[in-house]
Amino acid sequence: MFNFFKKKETGHIIGSPAKGKAVPLKEVNDPTFAEEMLGKGAAVIPEDGKIYAPAAGEIGMVFETLHAVSMTTDFGAELLIHIGLDTVKMKGDGFTGHVKSGDHVKKGDLLLEVDLEKVKAAGYDIITPVIVCNTPDYASVKGIESAHVNAGDDLIIIS
């Protein structure tokens, strides 16, 4: 009647795929991510090598080199989780996949494991951007400011 008790749409939350330090995309040392060419989002500097699903949805693609995963959340956000910078050059060395294209995952399911020390020893940055590739479909896509996060903690708010 007066809509007093109607729940307001507060948006959707994308969780952190890893435990670590959350940072704005502008701090990623790669213009493709820092200048939001692929979309808006946030990044995490992971403390351990476990990468989890940041939301419920379907895995779109697991790159052959296991350095990145794409997924579509149940509410339609198209995400790219990119582990490290230039890690495609490692050709999968140090990466272990736990999902495949077409799998439906719940928030918190283990997607990949990565040997962060091996990545660092190979000379690559371990920062892990999480991008909302269909950013124009939403009114707002905001990554949280710098903070320590656990896997699953709020990282990106979409409305």
Side-chain angles (χ1 to χ4, degrees), residues 24-41 43 80 82 84-86 125 127 129 131:
L25 279 183
K26 68 181 179 224
E27 292 187 24
V28 177
N29 192 20
D30 181 319
T32 302
F33 298 115
E35 296 172 16
E36 300 178 339
M37 292 179 195
L38 299 175
K40 295 180 184 244
L80 173 66
H82 195 284
L85 302 180
D86 294 325
D125 191 333
I127 197 164
I131 308 299

Side-chain angles (χ1 to χ4, degrees), residues 10-72:
T10 56
H12 301 283
I13 303 295
I14 302 298
S16 176
K19 177 181 179 181
K21 183 180 180 192
V23 297
L25 279 183
K26 68 181 179 224
E27 292 187 24
V28 177
N29 192 20
D30 181 319
T32 302
F33 298 115
E35 296 172 16
E36 300 178 339
M37 292 179 195
L38 299 175
K40 295 180 184 244
V44 177
I45 302 166
E47 292 177 5
D48 66 35
K50 292 184 179 355
I51 305 297
Y52 299 96
E58 184 174 313
I59 300 299
M61 184 173 166
V62 178
F63 288 73
E64 190 176 321
T65 53
L66 303 175
H67 74 286
V69 176
S70 70
M71 68 177 288
T72 302

Side-chain angles (χ1 to χ4, degrees), residues 125-145:
D125 191 333
I126 61 170
I127 197 164
T128 300
V130 180
I131 308 299
V132 179
C133 296
N134 60 336
T135 292
D137 292 353
Y138 300 99
S140 173
V141 175
K142 291 186 177 160
I144 66 163
E145 292 302 315

Side-chain angles (χ1 to χ4, degrees), residues 63-115:
F63 288 73
E64 190 176 321
T65 53
L66 303 175
H67 74 286
V69 176
S70 70
M71 68 177 288
T72 302
T73 68
D74 287 346
F75 63 87
E78 297 168 4
L79 305 180
L80 173 66
I81 305 161
H82 195 284
I83 300 92
L85 302 180
D86 294 325
T87 48
V88 64
K89 296 175 184 168
M90 293 184 70
K91 298 183 174 133
D93 187 28
F95 292 81
T96 305
H98 293 284
V99 292
K100 63 186 181 320
S101 179
D103 285 354
H104 192 274
V105 294
K106 297 184 307 292
K107 182 176 180 177
D109 284 354
L110 184 63
L111 302 178
L112 300 166
E113 288 183 90
V114 56
D115 183 336

